[in-house]
Amino acid sequence: MRGGTVAVVGGSIAGCAFASAAARAGAERVVVFERTGGRMADRGVGLCVHDERASELAAMGTLPAGIPTHRLTRRRWVVRDGSASPAGKLFWEQPFPFHSYHWGLLWRGLREATPASVVYRQGVTVTSVARDGAGAGGRAELVLSGPADATGDLERHDLVVGADGYRSVVRD
């Protein structure tokens, strides 16, 4: 992408990763809208990335080096077999070449690696997204709420990316 403005709705893992990629690809302006104000809460879960995808993402600069991971090599499927063994019976084992990341560590690493040119607006909620013109030449119009200086504001962007989770205002 060369030029143009990009709005990323959602500033978590996918939002930070896409914002970084758009900035590196040459977007004129990238703005991330994250509805959470203050510190993002750790989710306490692990996210797994296949070894080959992790290498590709690192080579592209999307996945910064130095984020702690737990290397996984095998996945085991265990079933209860009625014996006294609490481990049960191994039913199936398969290769599992993945890196497991803690949500909070992965998000912080991606956030810290987001280029300084990206505007990251925390505490601002996008309440609706619509096309502001007819045809392919129209831009996307975002309606914002949040701090007094943002409530009811309209912003127009050439591209809007929904990284705002399962209750996405962008998909609606």
Side-chain angles (χ1 to χ4, degrees):
M1 171 175 209
R2 295 282 176 230
T5 62
V6 178
V8 180
V9 182
S12 188
I13 291 170
C16 286
F18 187 87
S20 293
R24 283 193 313 278
E28 178 182 324
R29 183 168 187 257
V30 180
V31 181
V32 176
F33 297 96
E34 172 51 50
R35 69 176 170 238
T36 303
R39 187 173 185 270
M40 298 274 276
D42 285 354
R43 303 299 191 262
V45 298
L47 300 170
C48 293
V49 179
H50 191 277
D51 287 352
E52 291 177 14
R53 299 304 76 76
S55 295
E56 289 172 1
L57 291 169
M60 293 184 324
T62 301
L63 188 60
I67 300 173
T69 68
H70 177 74
R71 180 90 161 62
L72 304 170
T73 58
R74 312 283 305 157
R75 180 168 35 185
R76 294 173 166 223
W77 302 82
V78 179
V79 296
R80 293 184 189 162
D81 63 353
S83 70
S85 170
K89 178 182 176 184
L90 179 63
F91 176 73
W92 184 31
E93 186 173 9
Q94 69 183 121
F96 198 74
F98 283 78
H99 287 74
S100 176
Y101 295 86
H102 178 274
W103 186 96
L105 297 175
L106 179 58
W107 177 77
R108 280 190 287 284
L110 290 169
R111 178 67 183 98
E112 290 167 5
T114 302
S117 63
V118 172
V119 177
Y120 192 93
R121 295 181 62 188
Q122 270 190 275
V124 177
T125 301
V126 175
T127 59
S128 69
V129 178
R131 184 183 298 269
D132 76 350
R139 298 179 78 204
E141 183 176 82
L142 288 73
V143 178
L144 310 176
S145 71
D149 64 334
T151 299
D153 281 357
L154 297 177
E155 287 207 13
R156 290 177 178 83
H157 296 271
D158 298 309
L159 174 67
V160 176
V161 175
D164 52 340
Y166 71 97
R167 291 181 289 183
S168 173
V169 68
V170 177
R171 282 191 294 265
D172 283 346

